Amino acid sequence: MSLLIEAIGFGIASGAVIALGAVGFSVQFGMSNILNITYGAFMTLAAYLGLFMIDRNTNPWVALAVTGVVIGLASVVYHRLLLAPLVRRGTRAFSIVIVTVSAGIVLQYVIVAIVGPDTQTYGEQSGNTVHFLGMILTAGQVTIIALAVALMLALHLILTRTTLGKAMRATASNRILAQSCGIDTGRVSDAAWFLSGALCGAAGVALAITTVSFDFTLGAVFLIPMIAAAVFGGIGQPYGAMLGGLAVGVAGEVVAAYSNPEYREVVAFLILIVILLVRPRGLFGAAWAARRLMA
Amino acid sequence: MSAQAQPILEVQNLAKHFGGVHAVDGVSFTVGRGSITGLIGPNGAGKSTALNVIGGYLPPSSGTVRFDGVDVTGKPMHALARAGLVRTFQLARVFGNLTALENLLVAAPRQRGETARGVLGGRAYWGSQEKEFVAEAKQLMKGFGMEGKEDEYGRNLSGGQKRAVETMRALMMKPKLLLLDEPMAGLSPSLSHQLEEMFLKLRDEGLSLLLVEHELDTIERVCSKVVVMAQGKVISEGEMAELRTRKNVQDAYVIG
Amino acid sequence: MTTGQEFYLVVLLVYLGTNLLAAWGLNLEFGVAGIANLAYIVTIAAGAYTYAVCTLGPSSNHSGFQQYIGGYTLPFPVAVGAGALGGVVAGVLIGITGLKRLRPDYQAVVMLVISLMAVTVVSADQGLLNGNSGLALIPGPFSDQDPEVFRWAYVGIVALACVAGFFVLRRFTTGPIGRTLRAMRDDEYAAAAVGKDIVLLRLMVQAVGGAFGGLSGALLVAFIGGWNPGAWAYVETLALLTAVIVGGVGNDRGVTVGTFVIATLLLQGLQFLPEITAREGLKQDLGWILLGTLTIAFIWLRPQGIFPERRPKYGGQSP
């Protein structure tokens, strides 16, 4: 039983990071209707960027913030320069996915070409552990969970309390209607990509910290659990992604604890495939969202 | 009832719900063999949905469809098409990367080239049949005034041409019953008239048609029986001229 | 030509031949029939592994070194045939998951995930196919002959397979069946409305495409003698897809050119570049960077590829 509780504890820690990434991914899809597979490579970039700064004795929080901003800006530029024009010309969704996959490969291998394939680490974690309800977590993991919660709360506040947030929700649900209400959907899109890019960056750094050591495949490996989480809750719905992250994280850790640790990833794969084949709208997605998924 | 007199299509208590919306709410009517039946009604009456269900594009929520004496309820589109129940789409769905002629050739029934023997045997096996199909298709295109456009990509055709290709494609299948969803939309008056003449000729040759149309004059000229739908139900049935005088039909169109 | 150069030429030709078979299969599925099978590499892997377990003999022979299921000693042609069959099975299984009609980009992600999942499962289970280490010492034909004879004889075998393969391919991509598949690609519902059984067609295409993949994998592994999960990562399908996109989507000859350019010139030819840095593997990284950039460039500038699909003209004559 204690094994289960411990696994759940790990699951919450990894689930928090997965949720963070999933929310960003979800926002991008919700805003632009694009499955941005390059997201994974951006997370990898964030992990290395953060490492670069921390190795030069930057305060970790500053490094995190700077990374978030950089990835946010990079995401806006990426969308504006490559993805949006393709969509405008009527490129079909499948080809756009291929473009994002290819861009992810290019970015990933550029990173490798520059820094090499060796695994990296953010360094020693402090030995403090926190005991809570039978779960054992390191101080680092607790910090990450708190960070993830804080960032998702911030997003929630932005979406519900600010004018920008409301404009984002309006544009995501009906772009043309939003335009006719006078919303500058181009700017709003940029804002959404910046915010989701920042979350992506934060997720990348958080991943690097929680996995202790990582290499250039970091983003690619964790992207699938994040997509699974996003789809689990209902694609395009940031709140569903949060719950999905928890589900995927916990499920993965529980399975890993009771059988082969390698199967942790397989759990995420299975969740993704099963959801898409059985209930594409996810747990909380509306039927209209599901229609976006059907051919 | 003799086999000849048996209706080609019998729809009984057909219903189709989408969540709480009863698009088709208990519809029953028949289409006689070798006749043209019209299906009219205001927008939102459920005519297209009914056609979609009968044609196998959507599964029914309840009710039955009998085609040529056989219960075909819920059968998939391709099975119905092969049995002779052919439908066209409201928004013409032309194969964009195939030429106009290829669009017609695809629809030719029982192609030898599509069987396992055909694939292995190659042109020697299906070549002569293919030549026949090509001649037939060219003839059809000539009849529809599209001679010379055989090698035009489907995606480059005009709206009216696409609609014509859609109809020709249906005809290539040698159907027993044709379900047509607004075939005249987008056609010039002269082409519309030609199409009317063609329908009448086909009817004389034994083809049955179920026609959804908004152009009531066309319906009056061509259909021997008309079924009126409103809000998912059949509200009246009869000859067009007579229906025009019935109050409930007039009201349906005003209220919508 | 030195022995070293000669060996290298042989390797290039074998890779070209097996890549062609794979690219043709993928083009049949994706270019002609519109099935976005991003898990195609799994059919190649299925072919390779099937050939391996059909020729390695019982795993007890390699006790302690590698473990795997099966373990027969079949003659070369039979084992290759078994490999093709392995590809068929893999193709059909993948095809079944694709039957649920999802939006094409979601379908693509599902396929990628299936590809990843297959690699993960095989890597994780040591007893299945020797996990991450993969299988080695896989025998090829004429292994008792003079190596030089063997090499060129093998090139001959691959060439033969390609000629036969192309002949079979054309049977599926041209004529009435090719036309029907293209119609299915363009508009599935309209194809059903004209009487085409879409489910049957899709599974048939995935079986045939899988056969090409399986054959490709079997022929490749019989030559190089080893196979592990690193050889069939999901990016490999992308390499083939690039060949299809660059060469000409739906155009058999175009895809042949595309494969030659991508698989051979690009990926193998990079080996000829002088060592830039001390780090090995950098050239491969450059290869992937170039590949990804090419894919994006073509989708941006010329999505139909260098040689677009040809249209059969009827104005006057038969096809």
Side-chain angles (χ1 to χ4, degrees):
Chain A
M1 187 57 171
S2 64
L3 183 68
L4 181 67
I5 306 247
E6 261 180 47
I8 293 180
F10 292 139
I12 294 179
S14 68
V17 181
I18 294 175
L20 192 59
V23 168
F25 186 85
S26 231
V27 168
Q28 283 179 359
F29 181 83
M31 179 59 60
S32 309
N33 214 13
I34 295 174
L35 283 170
N36 180 20
I37 303 300
T38 324
Y39 197 82
F42 276 121
M43 284 194 293
T44 308
L45 182 63
Y48 278 93
L49 221 70
L51 182 69
F52 182 80
M53 286 187 274
I54 288 180
D55 274 353
R56 281 153 190 71
N57 295 317
T58 320
N59 176 306
W61 295 107
V62 171
L64 182 73
V66 171
T67 306
V69 169
V70 168
I71 303 296
L73 289 173
S75 300
V76 175
V77 169
Y78 176 61
H79 175 247
R80 274 267 179 183
L81 285 186
L82 187 60
L83 297 180
L86 282 173
V87 171
R88 249 200 314 274
R89 292 144 154 233
T91 314
R92 42 196 193 126
F94 172 79
S95 302
I96 294 190
V97 156
I98 298 297
V99 166
T100 63
V101 172
S102 302
I105 292 175
V106 170
L107 182 55
Q108 185 179 294
Y109 280 98
V110 165
I111 293 174
V112 182
I114 296 176
V115 302
D118 304 324
T119 55
Q120 316 282 339
T121 175
Y122 270 51
E124 299 296 310
Q125 296 292 307
S126 71
N128 297 347
T129 53
V130 174
H131 293 247
F132 179 64
L133 289 183
M135 302 184 278
I136 305 174
L137 300 167
T138 67
Q141 284 174 320
V142 175
T143 318
I144 295 292
I145 296 176
L147 175 71
V149 171
L151 286 174
M152 290 189 278
L153 195 66
L155 181 74
H156 168 71
L157 290 173
I158 292 177
L159 284 178
T160 49
R161 297 290 171 86
T162 66
T163 324
L164 174 67
K166 290 182 193 153
M168 275 171 58
R169 281 155 56 208
T171 311
S173 77
N174 191 330
R175 194 178 208 92
I176 299 179
L177 192 59
Q179 276 171 346
S180 58
C181 289
I183 295 177
D184 184 343
T185 53
R187 284 264 190 89
V188 169
S189 256
D190 290 343
W193 279 79
F194 178 79
L195 286 174
S196 59
L199 288 175
C200 173
V205 172
L207 270 178
I209 294 178
T210 47
T211 57
V212 182
S213 67
F214 63 95
D215 68 1
F216 65 97
T217 61
L218 179 75
V221 167
F222 280 90
L223 181 61
I224 300 299
M226 288 176 185
I227 301 181
V231 173
F232 180 87
I235 190 77
Q237 286 242 39
Y239 306 104
M242 296 180 196
L243 190 69
L246 215 61
V248 172
V250 171
E253 290 298 331
V254 169
V255 167
Y258 284 102
S259 69
N260 193 333
E262 302 260 346
Y263 288 138
R264 190 183 289 120
E265 295 166 26
V266 180
V267 171
F269 297 154
L270 278 173
I271 291 179
L272 178 59
I273 292 180
V274 167
I275 298 258
L276 284 180
L277 294 183
V278 169
R279 194 186 159 94
R281 74 172 80 155
L283 241 50
F284 307 116
W288 67 263
R291 217 158 286 143
R292 271 179 160 185
L293 293 172
M294 307 302 283
Chain B
M1 201 189 263
S2 73
Q4 261 320 99
Q6 187 190 46
I8 187 95
L9 183 75
E10 289 169 275
V11 176
Q12 274 184 320
N13 291 318
L14 196 68
K16 180 66 187 172
H17 316 308
F18 298 104
V21 178
H22 292 229
V24 177
D25 201 8
V27 162
S28 304
F29 62 88
T30 63
V31 174
R33 261 170 222 277
S35 75
I36 304 181
T37 302
L39 184 59
I40 64 170
N43 281 328
K47 315 185 292 295
S48 278
T49 311
L51 222 62
N52 277 332
V53 173
I54 296 169
Y57 186 72
L58 297 169
S61 302
S62 63
T64 56
V65 177
R66 292 184 75 84
F67 173 67
D68 209 3
V70 176
D71 187 343
V72 297
T73 318
K75 283 221 173 119
M77 251 196 309
H78 73 266
L80 293 173
R82 287 189 191 175
L85 207 191
V86 177
R87 58 150 313 161
T88 64
F89 292 89
Q90 193 173 23
L91 244 53
R93 296 177 84 137
V94 154
F95 301 118
N97 293 312
L98 267 57
T99 62
L101 198 79
E102 283 192 298
N103 264 273
L104 268 59
L105 291 173
V106 171
R110 287 180 296 282
Q111 295 178 42
R112 284 172 151 192
E114 282 181 305
T115 61
R117 268 187 79 180
V119 173
L120 291 172
R123 188 175 299 276
Y125 185 68
W126 47 257
S128 55
Q129 189 197 44
E130 177 87 351
K131 279 207 173 81
E132 286 171 23
F133 287 145
V134 171
E136 206 183 304
K138 280 187 172 177
Q139 191 66 14
L140 251 183
M141 286 193 74
K142 197 164 156 193
F144 271 74
M146 279 185 69
E147 194 170 16
K149 289 263 184 279
E150 289 91 352
D151 298 331
E152 196 66 56
Y153 277 120
R155 60 177 185 259
N156 292 338
L157 297 174
S158 73
Q161 288 172 331
K162 283 184 180 167
R163 181 154 292 288
V165 165
E166 175 106 359
T167 309
M168 285 189 280
R169 208 170 58 192
L171 292 175
M172 278 294 287
M173 299 190 66
K174 303 276 192 302
K176 293 183 191 162
L177 171 65
L178 209 51
L179 302 179
L180 297 164
D181 204 343
E182 300 190 42
M184 314 297 197
L187 291 184
S188 64
S190 63
L191 214 53
S192 270
H193 185 74
Q194 276 182 285
L195 205 56
E196 275 181 38
E197 297 289 306
M198 172 165 291
F199 289 157
L200 290 170
K201 188 169 76 100
L202 290 166
R203 179 208 57 192
D204 293 338
E205 288 168 8
L207 178 64
S208 316
L209 280 85
L210 177 61
L211 196 62
V212 168
E213 247 307 329
H214 278 292
E215 194 47 55
L216 298 180
D217 290 332
T218 303
I219 295 277
E220 185 160 354
R221 275 192 292 272
V222 160
C223 303
S224 52
K225 176 171 89 171
V226 180
V227 175
V228 187
M229 272 182 75
Q231 296 180 328
K233 294 182 162 55
V234 173
I235 59 167
S236 200
E237 215 179 280
E239 283 182 38
M240 194 65 227
E242 207 234 309
L243 286 175
R244 284 191 203 261
T245 64
R246 290 194 199 164
K247 184 149 197 327
N248 61 350
V249 174
Q250 291 168 349
D251 286 347
Y253 269 90
V254 169
I255 298 168
Chain C
M1 197 185 282
T2 68
T3 319
Q5 284 175 327
E6 192 183 310
F7 177 71
Y8 199 70
L9 183 61
V10 167
V11 169
L12 217 67
L13 287 173
V14 171
Y15 267 92
L16 175 64
T18 51
N19 273 331
L20 274 177
L21 287 167
W24 287 335
L26 183 63
N27 186 39
L28 174 66
E29 293 188 9
F30 173 63
V32 177
I35 300 172
N37 185 5
L38 290 190
Y40 189 70
I41 189 71
V42 177
T43 64
I44 298 174
Y49 278 122
T50 306
Y51 177 89
V53 303
C54 282
T55 53
L56 273 173
S59 61
S60 46
N61 286 3
H62 307 264
S63 58
F65 173 45
Q66 50 187 4
Q67 15 164 347
Y68 46 86
I69 56 170
Y72 315 102
T73 322
L74 301 172
F76 175 73
V78 178
V80 169
L85 220 67
V88 169
V89 171
V92 171
L93 287 176
I94 294 172
I96 290 176
T97 60
L99 286 180
K100 167 90 180 205
R101 306 317 292 124
L102 288 173
R103 208 172 84 166
D105 53 350
Y106 267 90
Q107 198 96 73
V109 173
V110 169
M111 291 297 168
L112 274 177
V113 171
I114 288 176
S115 192
L116 286 166
M117 204 158 76
V119 173
T120 309
V121 168
V122 168
S123 296
D125 190 341
Q126 196 73 15
L128 187 67
L129 293 160
N130 210 34
N132 226 354
S133 328
L135 301 172
L137 302 178
I138 303 170
F142 325 127
S143 40
D144 48 345
Q145 302 276 5
D146 171 20
E148 211 177 298
V149 172
F150 162 68
R151 279 187 226 128
W152 287 103
Y154 204 78
V155 170
I157 292 175
V158 171
L160 203 72
C162 283
V163 167
F166 192 75
F167 181 71
V168 171
L169 176 77
R170 294 295 284 170
R171 284 282 202 255
F172 283 95
T173 60
T174 56
I177 191 71
R179 183 174 54 218
T180 299
L181 293 179
R182 283 169 219 267
M184 179 173 80
R185 173 196 64 192
D186 284 354
D187 191 334
E188 212 171 88
Y189 288 113
V194 295
K196 309 303 174 196
D197 187 342
I198 300 298
V199 169
L200 210 66
L201 284 171
R202 286 180 72 99
L203 291 178
M204 185 269 289
V205 167
Q206 303 242 244
V208 176
F212 274 87
L215 183 64
S216 167
L219 286 175
L220 188 63
V221 87
F223 183 74
I224 60 183
W227 191 259
N228 61 49
W232 51 294
Y234 77 97
V235 284
E236 301 292 337
T237 306
L238 263 306
L240 284 170
L241 194 65
T242 306
V244 170
I245 291 176
V246 166
V249 180
N251 184 326
D252 300 323
R253 288 173 202 140
V255 165
T256 306
V257 171
T259 308
F260 182 74
V261 168
I262 301 294
T264 319
L265 285 186
L266 202 69
L267 294 179
Q268 301 300 325
L270 278 177
Q271 308 291 327
F272 283 111
L273 288 179
E275 287 293 338
I276 304 168
T277 66
R279 186 165 76 74
E280 61 162 280
L282 182 65
K283 286 194 217 156
Q284 258 146 328
D285 302 334
L286 282 177
W288 287 118
I289 294 173
L290 220 58
L291 199 85
T293 314
L294 228 99
T295 313
I296 298 175
F298 266 82
I299 291 179
W300 180 278
L301 296 169
R302 197 175 162 89
Q304 67 269 45
I306 300 177
F307 298 100
E309 187 174 86
R310 297 152 111 213
R311 101 177 88 172
K313 300 214 175 209
Y314 290 88
Q317 307 126 321
S318 356

